[in-house]
Amino acid sequence: MKKTERLETAIRQKQIKQAVLEIIAQEGLHNLSTRNLAKKVGLTEGAIFRHFPTKRDIIKGIMEDVENELVAGLKEIANGSLSPEEKLFNFLCYHVQYLKANRGITILLFSEATHLGDKELIGRLRRIFSDQKGLIAKIIKEGISENIWEKNINPSDVATLYMGIPITFNIEYILNKKGINMKNFCRRMYELVINVLKN
Amino acid sequence: MKKTERLETAIRQKQIKQAVLEIIAQEGLHNLSTRNLAKKVGLTEGAIFRHFPTKRDIIKGIMEDVENELVAGLKEIANGSLSPEEKLFNFLCYHVQYLKANRGITILLFSEATHLGDKELIGRLRRIFSDQKGLIAKIIKEGISENIWEKNINPSDVATLYMGIPITFNIEYILNKKGINMKNFCRRMYELVINVLKN
DNA sequence: TAATTATGTAATCACTTACTTACAAAGTTA
DNA sequence: TAACTTTGTAAGTAAGTGATTACATAATTA
């Protein structure tokens, strides 16, 4: 009966978080129960709760991944030594690519954080959001101080405008997979943002 | 014991949909149960189900309101006789204002539609989304054909960029009420979009 | 090898969910 | 006034939720 391999917690945690994203992408948020999650991983519910104290902690773990993978990657680009234009382009492409590889993550974060009504999760989400905006604003300020872009432009406003791009991309991608024109998406959006900055 | 006034279904339906939006704005999505909804309206659960066959139908009703109020209003602006610039400005301001008055509606729609995993609701959402994009693209095409805006710009891409504005606004507004700089928000975003179009 | 620890199962918990049923009474109509 | 329709209540339902328990066994350590 007992054929299930025994793996250590760190590995199971990765599998569980992976399964969460797969369920959302393939079956929808409404199927994200611990029961279905256990089935997907190939374990029982008890085993799931052996590796995570609560379901909430699984979502929290995914948020931490986003901070460690996405946000850290974006930070590296923003703090690099390339030109502001190159930074902006790489930033946007990296951003979109990450969301493409982890489709549904935007909806998971916003939906679950608000669904669970959890102050800490919402705070984390807020931080991820404002970190990204801050990095974009920083790149833009850099470009302005290097006289590449217009002085009379508000970096924070452009950052707000920017933030809509990956969010919209992700929402459209999960909502309407065929409708969105993926080809060169990040280059096309980059050109538009550059238009704003060059005035 | 029976002090509850008896009101006709049409009125109760309005009250119930109103209560849904209030609960989301004040208590969060996680408190949107039929139990809590009934309490908010001042009725029993049984009464709620007298006026709506299912909870899903309440969400569907709110979606219909969005189509009849928001989308119809935007359509009127787009099809009006003002200049493309004026249309674009009014469009954006009307859009933002509606979401401000009905805050949380973006999260409700995306979250519940995906949470319920309901094909019809997701289809409706998709339609609301693409209708708005289509109207924006139309205004932009108009401006281009009137030689107000650059020819070598893709109206559909700008529409995608545009769509991020109200979505981001709504998400930020519910996530971080104090953080968002509301003052002249739509005018500031309008200026940025105009920069894109004038190249 | 013996004791201990880590990882699994099966059954079940208390609770919440959307929804239903049987009944009461207000409002309308014949 | 009598019959009927509409709108309400109170008390349920079955199904699903996240989480726990008692127990088994594989892997590691003393």
Side-chain angles (χ1 to χ4, degrees):
Chain A
M1 265 300 114
K2 308 271 174 67
K3 297 180 183 179
T4 313
E5 205 183 348
R6 293 168 78 113
L7 297 171
E8 60 184 51
T9 286
I11 293 173
R12 288 297 190 205
Q13 285 179 336
K14 280 204 172 188
Q15 292 179 339
I16 291 165
K17 289 184 289 184
Q18 176 65 27
V20 166
L21 295 178
E22 274 175 27
I23 287 173
I24 292 164
Q26 293 163 12
E27 307 169 40
L29 251 175
H30 61 295
N31 280 312
L32 190 61
S33 62
T34 51
R35 203 141 301 178
N36 190 41
L37 183 54
K39 189 179 142 206
K40 185 96 181 178
V41 180
L43 293 173
T44 60
E45 279 189 272
I48 298 291
F49 285 100
R50 180 125 271 155
H51 301 298
F52 283 105
T54 66
K55 187 188 176 186
R56 175 187 167 282
D57 283 281
I58 304 176
I59 309 296
K60 200 170 125 187
I62 293 176
M63 280 193 168
E64 282 162 5
D65 289 350
V66 171
E67 291 190 60
N68 294 332
E69 294 164 17
L70 175 62
V71 179
L74 293 175
K75 201 167 285 182
E76 205 172 328
I77 292 170
N79 293 331
S81 54
L82 297 176
S83 72
E85 284 117 324
E86 287 170 314
K87 281 185 186 177
L88 189 60
F89 180 71
N90 290 347
F91 196 98
L92 180 51
C93 290
Y94 183 85
H95 207 158
V96 169
Q97 209 163 5
Y98 184 87
L99 295 181
K100 199 168 153 188
N102 299 278
R103 68 181 158 130
I105 210 165
T106 301
I107 285 183
L108 166 73
L109 295 188
F110 286 108
S111 180
E112 281 309 276
T114 52
H115 226 94
L116 299 172
D118 189 300
K119 296 274 183 199
E120 192 200 337
L121 292 192
I122 291 175
R124 251 168 211 277
L125 186 54
R126 199 152 34 200
R127 200 174 68 204
I128 291 174
F129 202 80
S130 69
D131 277 358
Q132 292 175 356
K133 272 183 78 170
L135 291 172
I136 277 289
K138 195 193 161 196
I139 293 176
I140 292 165
K141 279 176 198 159
E142 208 175 293
I144 292 174
S145 76
E146 290 182 21
N147 287 316
I148 299 169
W149 295 323
E150 281 292 324
K151 277 200 161 38
N152 61 341
I153 222 152
N154 185 340
S156 162
D157 281 355
V158 180
T160 298
L161 182 68
Y162 168 89
M163 283 306 290
I165 299 173
I167 293 177
T168 306
F169 170 80
N170 210 210
I171 287 174
E172 275 205 58
Y173 192 51
I174 207 169
L175 208 65
N176 193 14
K177 248 160 281 184
K178 292 165 191 171
I180 188 165
N181 182 1
M182 297 284 286
K183 198 174 179 191
N184 297 325
F185 178 84
C186 81
R187 173 157 293 282
R188 276 153 43 220
M189 289 299 131
Y190 166 76
E191 304 286 355
L192 293 183
V193 175
I194 284 294
N195 274 4
V196 174
L197 293 167
K198 287 194 171 165
N199 201 355
Chain B
M1 268 297 119
K2 307 272 175 68
K3 296 180 183 177
T4 312
E5 203 183 351
R6 294 168 77 113
L7 297 171
E8 59 185 52
T9 286
I11 293 172
R12 288 296 188 205
Q13 285 179 334
K14 280 204 171 186
Q15 292 179 339
I16 291 165
K17 288 184 290 185
Q18 177 64 27
V20 166
L21 294 177
E22 275 175 26
I23 287 173
I24 292 164
Q26 293 163 11
E27 308 169 40
L29 251 176
H30 61 295
N31 280 312
L32 190 62
S33 63
T34 51
R35 191 109 70 215
N36 190 40
L37 183 54
K39 190 180 143 207
K40 186 95 180 178
V41 180
L43 293 172
T44 59
E45 280 188 271
I48 298 290
F49 285 99
R50 178 126 273 153
H51 302 297
F52 282 105
T54 66
K55 186 186 175 187
R56 176 187 166 283
D57 283 281
I58 304 176
I59 310 296
K60 199 171 127 186
I62 293 176
M63 280 193 169
E64 282 162 5
D65 289 351
V66 170
E67 293 191 57
N68 294 332
E69 293 165 17
L70 175 61
V71 180
L74 294 175
K75 202 166 283 182
E76 206 172 327
I77 292 171
N79 293 331
S81 53
L82 296 176
S83 73
E85 282 117 325
E86 287 171 313
K87 281 185 186 178
L88 189 60
F89 180 71
N90 289 346
F91 195 98
L92 180 52
C93 290
Y94 183 85
H95 207 159
V96 170
Q97 208 163 6
Y98 184 87
L99 295 181
K100 198 168 154 188
N102 298 278
R103 70 183 156 130
I105 210 165
T106 301
I107 285 182
L108 165 72
L109 295 187
F110 285 108
S111 180
E112 282 308 276
T114 52
H115 223 95
L116 299 173
D118 190 301
K119 295 273 181 198
E120 191 199 337
L121 292 193
I122 291 175
R124 250 168 213 277
L125 185 54
R126 197 151 37 200
R127 200 174 69 206
I128 291 174
F129 202 80
S130 68
D131 277 358
Q132 293 175 357
K133 272 184 77 168
L135 290 172
I136 277 288
K138 195 193 160 197
I139 293 176
I140 292 165
K141 280 176 198 160
E142 208 175 293
I144 291 174
S145 76
E146 290 182 20
N147 288 315
I148 299 169
W149 295 323
E150 281 292 324
K151 275 196 164 42
N152 61 341
I153 223 152
N154 185 340
S156 162
D157 281 355
V158 180
T160 298
L161 182 68
Y162 169 90
M163 283 307 290
I165 299 173
I167 292 177
T168 306
F169 170 80
N170 209 211
I171 287 174
E172 274 206 58
Y173 191 50
I174 208 169
L175 207 65
N176 194 14
K177 246 160 280 183
K178 292 165 191 171
I180 189 165
N181 182 2
M182 298 285 287
K183 197 173 182 193
N184 297 326
F185 178 83
C186 81
R187 173 156 294 281
R188 276 154 40 220
M189 289 300 132
Y190 167 76
E191 304 286 357
L192 293 183
V193 175
I194 285 294
N195 273 5
V196 173
L197 294 166
K198 287 192 173 165
N199 202 356

